[in-house]
Short mmCIF file of all heavy atoms in Angstrom, two decimals:
data_model
loop_
_atom_site.label_atom_id
_atom_site.label_comp_id
_atom_site.label_asym_id
_atom_site.label_seq_id
_atom_site.Cartn_x
_atom_site.Cartn_y
_atom_site.Cartn_z
N ARG A 38 17.68 -107.54 -62.52
CA ARG A 38 18.71 -106.80 -63.25
C ARG A 38 18.75 -105.33 -62.80
O ARG A 38 19.81 -104.76 -62.61
CB ARG A 38 18.45 -106.88 -64.76
CG ARG A 38 19.50 -106.13 -65.56
CD ARG A 38 19.33 -106.37 -67.06
NE ARG A 38 20.42 -105.77 -67.79
CZ ARG A 38 20.39 -104.54 -68.29
NH1 ARG A 38 19.32 -103.79 -68.15
NH2 ARG A 38 21.44 -104.05 -68.93
N ILE A 39 17.57 -104.75 -62.61
CA ILE A 39 17.51 -103.35 -62.19
C ILE A 39 18.08 -103.19 -60.78
O ILE A 39 18.87 -102.29 -60.52
CB ILE A 39 16.07 -102.82 -62.28
CG1 ILE A 39 15.65 -102.74 -63.74
CG2 ILE A 39 15.94 -101.46 -61.60
CD1 ILE A 39 14.18 -102.48 -63.95
N THR A 40 17.66 -104.06 -59.89
CA THR A 40 18.15 -104.00 -58.51
C THR A 40 19.67 -104.14 -58.45
O THR A 40 20.34 -103.41 -57.73
CB THR A 40 17.47 -105.09 -57.65
OG1 THR A 40 16.05 -104.88 -57.71
CG2 THR A 40 17.90 -105.02 -56.21
N LEU A 41 20.22 -105.04 -59.25
CA LEU A 41 21.68 -105.21 -59.31
C LEU A 41 22.35 -104.01 -59.96
O LEU A 41 23.36 -103.51 -59.46
CB LEU A 41 22.04 -106.48 -60.08
CG LEU A 41 21.80 -107.79 -59.35
CD1 LEU A 41 22.04 -108.98 -60.29
CD2 LEU A 41 22.70 -107.91 -58.14
N ALA A 42 21.80 -103.52 -61.08
CA ALA A 42 22.39 -102.39 -61.78
C ALA A 42 22.43 -101.14 -60.90
O ALA A 42 23.39 -100.37 -60.95
CB ALA A 42 21.62 -102.10 -63.07
N LEU A 43 21.39 -100.95 -60.10
CA LEU A 43 21.32 -99.77 -59.23
C LEU A 43 21.96 -100.01 -57.87
O LEU A 43 21.97 -99.12 -57.03
CB LEU A 43 19.86 -99.32 -59.06
CG LEU A 43 19.19 -98.81 -60.34
CD1 LEU A 43 17.71 -98.56 -60.09
CD2 LEU A 43 19.88 -97.56 -60.86
N ALA A 44 22.50 -101.20 -57.68
CA ALA A 44 23.20 -101.57 -56.43
C ALA A 44 22.33 -101.30 -55.20
O ALA A 44 22.80 -100.79 -54.19
CB ALA A 44 24.54 -100.84 -56.33
N LEU A 45 21.06 -101.69 -55.30
CA LEU A 45 20.15 -101.51 -54.16
C LEU A 45 20.34 -102.64 -53.16
O LEU A 45 20.54 -103.79 -53.54
CB LEU A 45 18.70 -101.47 -54.64
CG LEU A 45 18.35 -100.26 -55.50
CD1 LEU A 45 16.96 -100.42 -56.08
CD2 LEU A 45 18.47 -98.97 -54.70
N GLU A 46 20.27 -102.28 -51.90
CA GLU A 46 20.43 -103.25 -50.82
C GLU A 46 19.17 -103.26 -49.96
O GLU A 46 18.36 -102.34 -50.02
CB GLU A 46 21.66 -102.87 -49.98
CG GLU A 46 22.95 -102.85 -50.77
CD GLU A 46 24.14 -102.37 -49.96
OE1 GLU A 46 24.02 -102.28 -48.72
OE2 GLU A 46 25.17 -102.09 -50.57
N SER A 47 19.05 -104.27 -49.14
CA SER A 47 17.85 -104.38 -48.30
C SER A 47 17.69 -103.16 -47.39
O SER A 47 16.58 -102.76 -47.09
CB SER A 47 17.88 -105.67 -47.49
OG SER A 47 19.03 -105.73 -46.68
N ARG A 48 18.79 -102.56 -46.96
CA ARG A 48 18.68 -101.37 -46.10
C ARG A 48 18.05 -100.17 -46.85
O ARG A 48 17.52 -99.27 -46.23
CB ARG A 48 20.03 -100.98 -45.51
CG ARG A 48 21.05 -100.53 -46.53
CD ARG A 48 22.40 -100.22 -45.84
NE ARG A 48 23.46 -100.17 -46.80
CZ ARG A 48 23.85 -99.05 -47.41
NH1 ARG A 48 23.26 -97.91 -47.15
NH2 ARG A 48 24.83 -99.10 -48.29
N ASP A 49 18.13 -100.20 -48.19
CA ASP A 49 17.53 -99.12 -48.97
C ASP A 49 16.01 -99.15 -48.94
O ASP A 49 15.36 -98.15 -49.20
CB ASP A 49 18.01 -99.18 -50.43
CG ASP A 49 19.51 -98.92 -50.57
OD1 ASP A 49 20.04 -98.09 -49.81
OD2 ASP A 49 20.14 -99.57 -51.42
N ILE A 50 15.44 -100.32 -48.64
CA ILE A 50 13.98 -100.44 -48.61
C ILE A 50 13.47 -100.89 -47.25
O ILE A 50 12.34 -101.32 -47.12
CB ILE A 50 13.46 -101.39 -49.71
CG1 ILE A 50 14.09 -102.78 -49.57
CG2 ILE A 50 13.68 -100.82 -51.08
CD1 ILE A 50 13.48 -103.81 -50.46
N GLY A 51 14.28 -100.75 -46.22
CA GLY A 51 13.91 -101.26 -44.90
C GLY A 51 13.08 -100.32 -44.05
O GLY A 51 12.79 -100.64 -42.91
N ASN A 52 12.66 -99.17 -44.58
CA ASN A 52 11.89 -98.21 -43.78
C ASN A 52 10.41 -98.24 -44.15
O ASN A 52 10.07 -98.54 -45.30
CB ASN A 52 12.43 -96.79 -44.01
CG ASN A 52 13.83 -96.64 -43.49
OD1 ASN A 52 14.15 -97.08 -42.40
ND2 ASN A 52 14.69 -96.02 -44.29
N PRO A 53 9.54 -97.90 -43.20
CA PRO A 53 8.11 -97.82 -43.53
C PRO A 53 7.88 -96.81 -44.65
O PRO A 53 8.49 -95.75 -44.69
CB PRO A 53 7.47 -97.33 -42.23
CG PRO A 53 8.45 -97.69 -41.16
CD PRO A 53 9.81 -97.60 -41.80
N GLY A 54 7.00 -97.16 -45.57
CA GLY A 54 6.67 -96.25 -46.66
C GLY A 54 7.66 -96.25 -47.79
O GLY A 54 7.58 -95.41 -48.69
N VAL A 55 8.60 -97.18 -47.80
CA VAL A 55 9.60 -97.28 -48.86
C VAL A 55 9.48 -98.68 -49.45
O VAL A 55 9.47 -99.66 -48.71
CB VAL A 55 11.03 -97.07 -48.32
CG1 VAL A 55 12.06 -97.18 -49.43
CG2 VAL A 55 11.14 -95.73 -47.60
N GLY A 56 9.35 -98.76 -50.77
CA GLY A 56 9.21 -100.09 -51.34
C GLY A 56 9.39 -100.13 -52.83
O GLY A 56 9.48 -99.11 -53.50
N ILE A 57 9.45 -101.36 -53.33
CA ILE A 57 9.58 -101.61 -54.76
C ILE A 57 8.33 -102.36 -55.21
O ILE A 57 7.91 -103.32 -54.57
CB ILE A 57 10.83 -102.46 -55.05
CG1 ILE A 57 12.09 -101.68 -54.67
CG2 ILE A 57 10.87 -102.88 -56.52
CD1 ILE A 57 13.38 -102.49 -54.80
N ALA A 58 7.76 -101.91 -56.31
CA ALA A 58 6.62 -102.59 -56.93
C ALA A 58 7.05 -103.03 -58.32
O ALA A 58 7.68 -102.26 -59.05
CB ALA A 58 5.42 -101.66 -57.01
N VAL A 59 6.72 -104.27 -58.67
CA VAL A 59 7.14 -104.82 -59.96
C VAL A 59 5.94 -105.39 -60.68
O VAL A 59 5.08 -106.04 -60.08
CB VAL A 59 8.20 -105.93 -59.74
CG1 VAL A 59 8.63 -106.53 -61.06
CG2 VAL A 59 9.40 -105.39 -58.99
#
Side-chain angles (χ1 to χ4, degrees):
R38 180 173 187 267
I39 292 169
T40 302
L41 286 173
L43 295 173
L45 293 172
E46 300 176 13
S47 58
R48 65 182 163 92
D49 295 324
I50 57 171
N52 294 315
V55 180
I57 296 174
V59 179

